[in-house]
Amino acid sequence: MSSTITSQPVAFHAAAKKVAAAAVAHETWPVAEVVALFELPFNDLLFRSQQVHRANFNANEIELATLLSIKTGGCPEDCGYCPQAARYDTGVTAQKIMPLDEVLAAAQAAKDQGATRFCMGAAWRAPKDRDLDSVEEMVKAVKAMGLETCATLGMLEEQQAVRLKEAGLDFYNHNLDTAPEFYGDIITTRDYQDRLDTLGAVREAGLKVCCGGIVGMGESQLSRAGLIAQLANLNPYPESVPINHLVQVEGTPLYGQDGLDPLEFVRTIAVARITMPKARVRLSAGRRQLGEGIQALCYLAGANSIFYGEKLLVTGNPEVEEDKSLLQRLGIHAKTA
Ligand code: SAM
Ligand code: DTB
Ligand code: SF4
């Protein structure tokens, strides 16, 4: 909790003013004001995030994005949450880059199930220029199928981002993951500034930015607020904001981490919605573990995108039929292209 915030009424007032302002212009969000949002009574927070959501989106529409791991495992980085880091014994075997025909078959299946965005992920620290030759082919072909394209390949140089843009890439995903002060507890093989530099290169190339983070890694509420403030203060803020709940994988350093109160996860979604009113806030990893009730609260809080399909990159996701059932019971329909 921030030492500058002393009473609930003050926090409430400051947060309420911000909500009104955020609907009209890009705002700078001091961490203390984001903390004030986190500290609102739950019903007040959700009421406000609903107001922002409804002012900017159809509240009963959701985006379906399907993920595919095009290059799995064997990653040299040390991200403490990640089952694909070569240094952790997680049972994931390193594979070569997936052939184009398999990628296209997966993209077609995703489209047939109703997805409008296809995100290709690779367990690289950074792609080599020759890796990009293959990814360019994938992007061109997936785009030609009428899907929005997204890739997450690690750190990028600006010239590489330009190549992807020219191939037809719409979004590049690169997460800040957590607040700067907690980051070093989770990753040591690349620093926060490296991530900001990649995001800058992506923007410069004219790509849309997909950037979010992970909660449930043992961070404080102040660090959750710090992550959201970092994202909201990017100018412009990201078009897509994936909020992941840590999926604990045996063999990773974060396995066995104390669980986060699921209502704190819902609060994180609500605060992302309020501070980044026009972003697609994606309820990302961890949905299977969170269950239907918490997912429904996340949609109420302003999440309007999910990863859709039985697998994330290497871990499980709800079955398509389960998602269709929940969304149908909630009266939420899928965004069409
Ligand atoms: N290697 C690239 C990179 O790190 O930028 C792209 C793929 S990486 C798996 C993409 C993101 O997935 C990470 O930044 C992290 O936010 C998320 N992620 C990875 N493992 C996760 C886990 N166990 N639980 C939740 N999110 C996870
Ligand atoms: C993001 O923020 N979450 C996705 C996507 N971007 C690439 C990845 C989640 C990975 C969950 C664990 C796994 O299956 O590897
Ligand atoms: Fe590698 Fe990305 Fe996993 Fe980090 S998150 S270990 S960079 S695949």
Side-chain angles (χ1 to χ4, degrees):
M1 177 171 162
S2 161
S3 57
T4 58
I5 292 166
T6 51
S7 74
Q8 190 63 36
V10 170
F12 185 90
H13 183 64
K17 277 205 322 207
K18 268 294 189 198
V19 169
V24 290
H26 184 278
E27 287 290 310
T28 301
W29 285 90
V31 176
E33 291 192 19
V34 181
V35 170
L37 289 173
F38 268 96
E39 290 183 339
L40 287 171
F42 188 78
N43 287 349
D44 289 340
L45 176 61
L46 261 65
F47 178 66
R48 294 184 184 288
S49 66
Q50 263 283 301
Q51 286 179 308
V52 174
H53 192 191
R54 285 170 182 275
N56 291 282
F57 288 98
N58 175 344
N60 300 310
E61 187 185 87
I62 199 163
E63 174 192 69
L64 304 178
T66 293
L67 262 178
L68 178 70
S69 181
I70 59 165
K71 178 4 189 136
T72 302
C75 184
E77 300 295 274
D78 72 348
C79 311
Y81 46 75
C82 188
Q84 301 199 70
R87 67 190 69 204
Y88 310 135
D89 187 8
T90 62
V92 171
T93 31
Q95 287 163 23
K96 292 207 172 82
I97 192 164
M98 192 179 268
L100 181 62
D101 59 338
E102 286 178 33
V103 175
L104 295 188
Q108 187 61 52
K111 190 177 178 190
D112 293 345
Q113 289 286 7
T116 56
R117 191 183 298 186
F118 193 67
C119 180
M120 293 160 272
W124 289 318
R125 169 178 164 82
K128 297 186 183 68
D129 285 341
R130 72 161 186 278
D131 297 326
L132 282 189
D133 295 342
S134 310
V135 178
E136 275 175 341
E137 292 310 308
M138 294 173 189
V139 168
K140 276 184 197 147
V142 172
K143 181 88 176 162
M145 291 168 59
L147 286 160
E148 278 187 318
T149 52
C150 179
T152 181
L153 316 171
M155 294 187 286
L156 280 194
E157 299 291 340
E158 194 175 326
Q159 258 320 102
Q160 297 181 308
V162 168
R163 281 184 64 182
L164 291 169
K165 170 76 183 167
E166 285 172 356
L169 190 70
D170 296 305
F171 290 83
Y172 194 77
N173 167 246
H174 197 67
N175 291 340
L176 289 177
D177 278 346
T178 191
E181 73 277 4
F182 189 62
Y183 181 88
D185 288 19
I186 306 296
I187 300 148
T188 68
T189 49
R190 72 172 77 159
D191 61 29
Y192 215 75
Q193 189 57 47
D194 292 326
R195 292 187 183 250
L196 293 168
D197 290 348
T198 291
L199 294 170
V202 166
R203 270 278 174 236
E204 276 299 307
L207 290 162
K208 286 184 267 194
V209 171
C210 173
C211 181
I214 314 180
V215 297
M217 300 194 293
E219 74 285 341
S220 62
Q221 187 182 72
L222 185 60
S223 287
R224 284 188 285 283
L227 165 67
I228 299 292
Q230 282 285 330
L231 295 168
N233 291 333
L234 293 171
N235 193 3
Y237 58 76
E239 284 82 1
S240 280
V241 179
I243 304 292
N244 296 277
H245 189 293
L246 174 69
V247 178
Q248 296 201 9
V249 179
E250 200 168 349
T252 60
L254 289 180
Y255 182 69
Q257 177 63 52
D258 285 347
L260 178 73
D261 175 356
L263 297 180
E264 249 323 276
F265 184 79
V266 180
R267 284 178 183 274
T268 310
I269 298 271
V271 173
R273 166 53 63 225
I274 292 167
T275 55
M276 293 170 276
K278 293 186 188 301
R280 281 266 162 206
V281 175
R282 184 171 308 116
L283 167 55
S284 300
R287 285 197 299 120
R288 209 170 60 168
Q289 295 76 3
L290 289 168
E292 289 193 333
I294 294 294
Q295 288 181 66
L297 281 175
C298 289
Y299 301 138
L300 186 67
N304 61 355
S305 177
I306 53 171
F307 284 126
Y308 176 69
E310 72 214 18
K311 218 160 146 204
L312 290 163
L313 291 172
V314 299
T315 67
N317 201 34
E319 299 289 331
V320 161
E321 290 312 316
E322 287 175 63
D323 278 336
K324 284 185 175 165
S325 161
L326 177 60
L327 295 174
Q328 198 246 330
R329 281 179 287 142
L330 294 171
I332 296 176
H333 60 266
K335 172 180 179 276
T336 50

